[in-house]
Amino acid sequence: MTQLHAEVIAAQRQYTLRARDQNLGLIAPEAFVRGIRHMGYRSNVEAIAELVDNSIQAYAETVDIVFGYDADGSARKPTHLAVIDNGHGMDPDMIRFAMMWGGTHRENDRGGLGRFGYGLPCATVSMGRCFTIYSKTSGGHLHAVTFELDTVIDGNAGAEREAAIPTPELAELPHFLHDAMRRSYPGGWQSGTVIVIEKLDRLDWSTAAGLRRNLVRQFGVAYHKLLWATRVQVDGEQVRPIDPLFLNPDADLHNLDEDRAIALDPVTVRIEGDERRVGDVVLRYAWLPPSFAAIDKTRDAIGINANDRFPIMKQYHGIIFSRNGRLVDVQSRTPWTIFINNDRYIRIEIEFSAVLDEAFGVTTSKQQVSVSPEMWDRLRGAGLHKAIEHLRAKVKSAKAGRPAREPRTVSVSAPSALPARVTRGLAVPRDVAVSDALRMLLDEIESRASNAKLAVRTEYRELLRGWSERMAATPRDRGKSYREQTNTD
Ligand SMILES: Nc1ncnc2c1ncn2[C@@H]1O[C@H](COP(=O)(O)OP(=O)(O)OP(=O)(O)O)[C@@H](O)[C@H]1O
Ligand SMILES: [Mg+2]
C-alpha cells in the first residue's frame, strides 16, 4: 500500500469508527443536510420559484411573497420570508411528507411543474436554517411543522433521527404575515399553504428592494404563460407577465413604444419520449427591429439610451427553454452556432412537454436543460437551424436599411478636460472630452457587471439605473453649469 493510499484508508477507518453507532440508513443526515444546502440554485429567485411552482400546481389563485424583519434588525435586509397561497392546502399527514426529501404525491408525474419531491425542502434550506410549513384544507384547521437545520446538523436528533420530522400541530400564522393576509384575503382565507423560512443566512441580495426587483422581473418572464391563472405578488408588488419574445400584446413591454417584435410562424413537432409517451415541442420565433431597445430611436441602445426591454433581451439571450409553460433555462449555444451580442435581436423559445424531460436532460431542480444530441437533431430537422439563420438575415438587413445617424450631440457643454477633482490620482489624459470619458466609464462598468456574480451585477445595474433616473429628471439646461459645478481647478 502506498503512503497516499494508507493515509486515505486511515481517514476512512476513522470515519467509519465515528459513524458506526449511527443507523446505517442510506443517508448520513448531517452531511446530507449540509450538502443539499448547496444543491445549486442559480440564485434565491430560482429557489423561491420552486415554492411558487408548488402553489401554482395547488391551483392557487394568489401567491404572496412576503418579507419579514427582526424587530431590532435593519429594515433593509429581510430576516424571514414567506410564500403564501390559497391553493387546496394539505392535510396534516401530507405536511410531514412535503417536508421530507423525496416526499411527493406526484412522483414522476409529467402533467404539471413538480415531479421529484425535492423542490420544497431543497429550496427552503438553500436560503435559511429553519423553515415551517403551515397548511389547511377547506374546512380544516391550520397545522404546522417546523424543521430546524441546526438540530440535525449538530446531531441533536440523536437516536431519534428516524423521527426527525415531528407531528404537525395546530398553529397560528406568525405576526409578520397578518397585514399581508388581511390585504390579500379580506373575506378570510379558506385553504392554502404558507411556507415560512427563518434564519435567512444565504440571501444573494443585501436589501429587500434588490430581491423584490429581481423576483418581479424574473418571475414576470418565467411565469409569463401562467400568470393569467395565478396572481403573484412580491412584497405587495404584482408580477406582470413579460414575454421574452415580446409577441404577446397583453404582456408588459409589448407596447412600450411604437416598435414591435415581428413573429415567424411557430412550428409544432410531436416527439416520442421515454416509455413511448408522446409530447409536443413548440418552436416560437421573433426578430426585433434595430431600435427596439432604444429610448432615442436615432441612437444605439447603450447606457442611458437603453429602454426597459434591453435588460430582458440581454438576460434572456439565446434559446429560451420552457417546460410545461414555465421557463427553465436559456442557452446561448447549439451544436451548430453560438449566439453573439447582436443575436439579442433574434428571439427563440422552445416550449416542451415534461413528457420529454429525459430528452431535454431536465435536472431535479428544473432550472437547467441538457439537450441530448438526438433532440438537437430533431430540432434541427424541425427547422431550428434554418430559422436562426433566417432571423439573423432579417436583423442584418433591417440594420443595413437604417437611416444614417445624426452626429451625436452631447447635451452638456462638455469641457475639453475632466475636472481635476474627478481625475486626481487617475491616469486620465487632460484632453479627453467628458462625453468620451463617460462612454468609456459606462462600457467599463457594463463589462465588469457582465462578468460579475449575480449580486454584484445587480449592484452595478442598480447604480446605473439610479444614475440614469436622476439624469432623466434633470432639466436639460442644468447641463450648462456642469463646468462651474465640478471644475475646481
Ligand atoms: N403549496 C402547496 N400546496 C399544496 N401542496 C403542496 C404545496 N407545496 C408542496 N405540496 C405538497 O408537497 C409535496 C412535496 O413538494 P415538493 O416541491 O418537495 O415536490 P414536488 O413538487 O412533488 O416535486 P419537485 O421536486 O419536482 O418540486 C408535493 O408533491 C405536494 O403534494
Ligand atoms: Mg415542487
Side-chain angles (χ1 to χ4, degrees):
M1 197 185 294
T2 66
Q3 175 68 21
L4 280 175
H5 285 199
E7 277 174 20
V8 181
I9 296 292
Q12 284 185 339
R13 285 184 185 148
Q14 258 187 359
Y15 169 74
T16 51
L17 215 65
R18 253 193 340 244
R20 183 177 289 166
D21 52 346
Q22 294 180 5
N23 262 339
L24 259 191
L26 200 54
I27 288 165
E30 297 87 349
F32 173 78
V33 171
R34 263 195 306 267
I36 205 88
R37 298 201 77 195
H38 303 272
M39 169 136 136
Y41 290 107
R42 239 176 263 139
S43 76
N44 301 146
V45 175
E46 285 75 12
I48 298 170
E50 290 270 22
L51 305 177
V52 176
D53 283 359
N54 286 344
S55 299
I56 290 176
Q57 204 161 354
Y59 305 108
E61 285 166 2
T62 301
V63 181
D64 278 288
I65 294 142
V66 177
F67 304 143
Y69 307 88
D70 268 351
D72 52 348
S74 145
R76 282 162 60 80
K77 187 165 182 167
T79 48
H80 22 286
L81 186 153
V83 178
I84 308 170
D85 73 44
N86 63 348
H88 50 58
M90 287 178 260
D91 287 336
D93 282 344
M94 186 63 215
I95 299 180
R96 282 181 106 178
F97 284 104
M99 182 165 273
M100 194 188 278
W101 274 273
T104 174
H105 77 285
R106 50 185 174 230
E107 194 181 353
N108 208 18
D109 171 44
R110 305 303 174 99
L113 303 175
R115 61 167 271 211
F116 293 105
Y118 279 69
L120 194 159
C122 278
T124 45
V125 301
S126 79
M127 291 182 279
R129 306 183 73 80
C130 176
F131 75 94
T132 305
I133 305 178
Y134 300 85
S135 200
K136 74 165 183 169
T137 51
S138 181
H141 296 288
L142 185 72
H143 283 75
V145 181
T146 297
F147 180 86
E148 274 275 1
L149 216 82
D150 294 323
T151 58
V152 177
I153 288 180
D154 297 344
N156 291 348
E160 292 151 61
R161 188 176 280 113
E162 289 299 323
I165 301 178
T167 318
E169 290 187 352
L170 280 171
E172 281 183 17
L173 288 178
H175 236 81
F176 82 99
L177 298 181
H178 289 181
D179 275 354
M181 292 303 285
R182 262 196 300 272
R183 235 181 297 120
S184 287
Y185 306 104
W189 183 59
Q190 303 312 321
S191 68
T193 300
V194 178
I195 313 291
V196 174
I197 312 169
E198 289 165 273
K199 301 186 185 170
L200 292 169
D201 60 346
R202 300 193 63 219
L203 277 191
D204 297 321
W205 284 272
S206 55
T207 63
L211 178 58
R212 182 183 56 230
R213 212 170 303 115
N214 280 277
L215 284 167
V216 167
R217 184 202 284 171
Q218 282 182 239
F219 282 180
V221 179
Y223 296 108
H224 76 96
K225 294 181 190 164
L226 305 174
L227 288 169
W228 62 270
T230 308
R231 189 164 59 116
V232 179
Q233 303 186 124
V234 183
D235 205 16
E237 182 175 342
Q238 186 162 347
V239 174
R240 301 260 322 127
I242 300 171
D243 176 4
L245 271 61
F246 304 100
L247 290 174
N248 179 356
D250 298 326
D252 258 22
L253 303 178
H254 179 268
N255 307 331
L256 185 69
D257 53 39
E258 302 300 305
D259 278 333
R260 293 287 179 274
I262 299 122
L264 301 191
D265 286 340
V267 175
T268 303
V269 274
R270 304 219 102 180
I271 295 181
E272 194 176 291
D274 275 26
E275 297 168 16
R276 319 199 110 227
R277 285 184 289 199
V278 175
D280 280 347
V281 177
V282 183
L283 300 111
R284 285 204 307 147
Y285 302 110
W287 65 275
L288 310 175
S291 58
F292 196 73
I295 295 171
D296 173 351
K297 300 291 179 189
T298 64
R299 290 174 40 213
D300 288 340
I302 49 171
I304 54 167
N305 196 42
N307 64 21
D308 286 345
R309 289 163 171 161
F310 184 76
I312 304 295
M313 290 161 60
K314 196 169 170 200
Q315 186 170 359
Y316 300 90
H317 168 224
I319 300 182
I320 294 160
F321 288 89
S322 174
R323 172 186 182 269
N324 281 4
R326 197 272 233 187
L327 189 145
V328 286
D329 200 3
V330 186
Q331 297 211 342
S332 54
R333 268 167 200 272
T334 73
W336 344 281
T337 186
I338 295 175
F339 287 74
I340 55 163
N341 276 1
N342 247 351
D343 292 326
R344 289 173 185 154
Y345 289 80
I346 74 173
R347 315 297 300 167
I348 300 169
E349 183 196 68
I350 297 183
E351 166 69 49
F352 64 94
S353 153
V355 164
L356 303 172
D357 273 355
E358 285 78 5
F360 281 95
V362 170
T363 58
T364 320
S365 58
K366 293 174 264 70
Q367 49 166 353
Q368 213 175 309
V369 295
S370 171
V371 183
S372 69
E374 295 77 33
M375 182 55 80
W376 278 125
D377 282 348
R378 293 298 303 264
L379 296 173
R380 191 184 171 118
L384 176 61
H385 179 57
K386 274 207 183 117
I388 294 173
E389 292 314 316
H390 183 66
L391 292 168
R392 280 180 173 152
K394 287 282 188 196
V395 168
K396 199 170 165 195
S397 69
K399 259 195 153 173
R402 258 181 120 185
R405 260 183 294 154
E406 297 197 355
R408 203 181 162 128
T409 53
V410 180
S411 58
V412 293
S413 55
S416 61
L418 285 164
R421 181 161 63 81
V422 177
T423 60
R424 194 166 294 134
L426 301 177
V428 180
R430 290 190 60 81
D431 56 350
V432 170
V434 170
S435 54
D436 289 337
L438 205 53
R439 198 162 43 241
M440 281 151 84
L441 180 64
L442 284 174
D443 285 347
E444 180 77 9
I445 294 175
E446 185 54 38
S447 124
R448 287 279 179 97
S450 306
N451 295 319
K453 272 179 46 189
L454 186 71
V456 177
R457 195 157 70 226
T458 310
E459 286 301 321
Y460 276 123
R461 300 263 153 80
E462 285 317 309
L463 173 83
L464 285 180
R465 183 172 289 270
W467 171 70
S468 102
E469 279 166 8
R470 279 188 58 201
M471 295 270 286
T474 304
R476 288 214 148 196
D477 62 357
R478 286 249 323 257
K480 278 190 209 138
S481 61
Y482 178 81
R483 181 170 202 157
E484 293 129 63
Q485 283 172 30
T486 55
N487 200 344
T488 54
D489 266 355

